[in-house]
Amino acid sequence: MDTIINLGTIFASFVIYQLIFHFVSSWFSAKVSPCFNALSLEKKIKWNLRVVSTCQGLVVGVFSLCIILFREAATADPLWNDPWLVKVNIAITTGYIISDGRSSGIHWEFRLIVQLSTLFYNQRWFLKTLGYSKSSEAYIISGVFMTVMFLIVRIAAIPPFYYCIYSMYGTDAYFGLGLLIQCSWIGSFVVLDVMNVIRMIRILREWVHLSQDTLSHQTRVSNQKSSS
């Protein structure tokens, strides 16, 4: 019965994301922003992909957060937990992966909350595509939310995640994974976390450059007013 439910959820997820990509995204985007119709076909495809990615990030991120906060079974045994809500969340993600034409490895609900930062990352791309400058109010506000969310769900989550791994090391559940899964599982997260730290550094550098440009612009305006 569980297998049928999981397969049904995967299929439903795949169909819904396909409908969003091919129909809903274009219709909704044209209603919200008339500039969408002026985009090239390539830009529209990228736009629709990011709309689907945003929907996926919102659904999976909220599900994962609820599981972590309110489902004791999901945190009591992080390696072998099997509550139905976790299965549904993974099935939804699987449907998205198939729809998006990508492959994925093993993920924990604890790390799937990183999808929440995808919402604001895509929002910045939308604004950039519509011609908003990096100094515009909308772009800056979106950037602030993206930076805060990225810091919380991708960087601040690193220490407790590896503490959780450390607490499970040497247990029967850990050895039950097998050496191959242990290495690939931990190794993949180490690589991802290093990439996230590097990306966080780049984001902070962007803020420094933006602050310097803003200060320089204000100085020039002030000098021009003084001269006149």
Side-chain angles (χ1 to χ4, degrees):
M1 190 64 180
D2 287 344
T3 302
I4 296 176
I5 294 176
N6 290 336
L7 291 176
T9 304
I10 293 172
F11 178 75
S13 173
F14 169 79
V15 171
I16 291 172
Y17 285 130
Q18 284 292 299
L19 289 174
I20 294 174
F21 174 76
H22 290 289
F23 303 105
V24 178
S25 175
S26 296
W27 173 81
F28 180 76
S29 299
K31 291 288 185 181
V32 174
S33 177
C35 297
F36 174 80
N37 292 326
L39 298 176
S40 65
L41 178 60
E42 181 181 358
K43 287 275 188 175
K44 286 181 178 178
I45 292 174
K46 290 182 179 180
W47 181 288
N48 292 336
L49 284 172
R50 287 180 181 270
V51 169
V52 175
S53 172
T54 300
C55 293
Q56 159 69 7
L58 180 62
V59 172
V60 173
V62 171
F63 261 67
S64 299
L65 196 59
C66 291
I67 291 170
I68 292 171
L69 294 177
F70 305 113
R71 301 287 293 187
E72 294 184 2
T75 54
D77 186 2
L79 291 177
W80 296 104
N81 69 80
D82 202 27
W84 70 270
L85 197 57
V86 172
K87 292 181 178 180
V88 170
N89 207 17
I90 293 175
I92 293 173
T93 304
T94 303
Y96 166 75
I97 292 169
I98 297 173
S99 175
D100 199 42
R102 297 174 183 172
S103 60
S104 175
I106 298 174
H107 293 278
W108 274 14
E109 297 299 325
F110 188 77
R111 302 312 297 266
L112 283 176
I113 59 174
V114 302
Q115 294 293 331
L116 291 173
S117 65
T118 303
L119 309 180
F120 301 102
Y121 179 80
N122 287 340
Q123 182 64 34
R124 277 166 59 94
W125 186 90
F126 293 145
L127 294 173
K128 184 178 180 181
T129 301
L130 293 176
Y132 285 78
S133 67
K134 291 185 177 181
S135 58
S136 66
E137 183 178 355
Y139 196 90
I140 292 176
I141 292 175
S142 177
V144 170
F145 279 108
M146 186 200 73
T147 303
V148 172
M149 189 60 68
F150 192 97
L151 181 64
I152 293 174
V153 302
R154 292 181 183 262
I155 304 301
I158 292 177
F161 173 72
Y162 286 105
Y163 174 78
C164 184
I165 292 179
Y166 174 76
S167 65
M168 296 301 298
Y169 181 78
T171 62
D172 293 337
Y174 178 82
F175 288 121
L177 293 173
L179 182 60
L180 179 61
I181 295 180
Q182 291 170 8
C183 295
S184 59
W185 165 56
I186 297 177
S188 63
F189 281 123
V190 169
V191 172
L192 289 173
D193 287 331
V194 169
M195 293 174 62
N196 283 331
V197 170
I198 293 175
R199 191 173 171 188
M200 186 72 230
I201 293 173
R202 290 178 177 175
I203 291 174
L204 294 177
R205 285 179 177 174
E206 287 184 11
W207 280 114
V208 172
H209 292 157
L210 180 61
S211 300
Q212 292 175 342
D213 292 341
T214 302
L215 181 61
S216 177
H217 175 72
Q218 291 176 345
T219 302
R220 287 197 301 268
V221 172
S222 178
N223 291 336
Q224 290 176 355
K225 289 182 178 180
S226 299
S227 300
S228 60

